Amino acid sequence: MQTTTKHLLLARPQGGDLAGLHNICSDPRVWTHFPSLRHTTSGQTRTMLEQFVDKWDADGLGPWVVRLLGDPAVIGHGGCSVKGGVFWNLGYRLSPDVQGRGFATELSREAIAQATQRRPVLPVVAYLLEHNAASARVAGKAGLDLVHRGPDKGNPDPKAIRLVYADRPLSPEQLAVILE
């Protein structure tokens, strides 16, 4: 399945996307806000790709592989996938070479629209680290509001603060699943 926006081709991931995704996920510039998550082997990226495909199979929507219209190069991945059966998780990761051009917001707005069309009862949530101001701006521009700020349980940095943005107020049960 593919969808297009003004500037982007958003496609369901396939095995042939592995190398392009690994280029993004192994780039240390992509992980300045959470360096311990950088992929150091293609096996890590393969596992992520398999998880993306599984999300698509289970929910009819998941993270897309992102390209600029008319360009075969992978510039990132992102979209919405169901987590814990309780919420749509909005995520985005783009090459530093294309950051700051509004593509994450463009991708996020399309992902939110498709998620709410498929399962409107589930809230759309973006959770991120507080020092990632660019990601917080994207969440806000995509229509999400800050609904929680607190310690990031399990983060190797004990001072890390987790922000949760959502398209509606969250119940304590939903927030508990999100913060797991």
Side-chain angles (χ1 to χ4, degrees), residues 11-12 50 63 77 136 141 154 160 164 173 177:
R12 181 180 172 148
E50 290 167 357
H77 63 82
K141 288 178 186 177
V164 178
E173 296 81 16
V177 171

Side-chain angles (χ1 to χ4, degrees), residues 1-75:
M1 176 182 168
Q2 293 185 351
T3 222
T4 58
T5 63
K6 183 176 181 182
H7 301 101
L8 304 173
L9 173 66
L10 309 172
R12 181 180 172 148
Q14 300 178 7
D17 297 321
L18 178 63
L21 287 171
H22 186 68
N23 285 340
I24 304 298
C25 295
S26 64
D27 186 334
R29 299 173 299 161
V30 172
W31 298 101
T32 58
H33 301 289
F34 210 150
S36 63
L37 295 181
R38 183 173 74 86
H39 293 194
T40 56
T41 69
S42 61
Q44 291 170 290
T45 309
R46 183 176 297 104
T47 298
M48 180 191 77
L49 178 60
E50 290 167 357
Q51 291 169 347
F52 288 177
V53 170
D54 290 346
K55 288 295 184 184
W56 275 92
D57 290 346
D59 302 315
L61 185 65
W64 289 297
V65 173
V66 182
R67 293 175 172 85
L68 293 173
L69 287 176
D71 187 342
V74 173
I75 63 164

Side-chain angles (χ1 to χ4, degrees), residues 44-126:
Q44 291 170 290
T45 309
R46 183 176 297 104
T47 298
M48 180 191 77
L49 178 60
E50 290 167 357
Q51 291 169 347
F52 288 177
V53 170
D54 290 346
K55 288 295 184 184
W56 275 92
D57 290 346
D59 302 315
L61 185 65
W64 289 297
V65 173
V66 182
R67 293 175 172 85
L68 293 173
L69 287 176
D71 187 342
V74 173
I75 63 164
H77 63 82
C80 285
S81 56
V82 176
K83 287 258 186 144
V86 176
F87 68 101
W88 286 106
N89 176 48
L90 172 65
Y92 31 85
R93 191 146 323 275
L94 297 175
S95 167
D97 299 332
V98 299
Q99 290 177 5
R101 295 169 54 184
F103 299 145
T105 301
E106 189 173 322
L107 152 70
S108 296
R109 288 177 177 155
E110 182 65 25
I112 291 169
Q114 290 202 25
T116 56
Q117 180 183 39
R118 280 173 176 75
R119 291 181 65 186
V121 69
L122 297 182
V124 176
V125 173

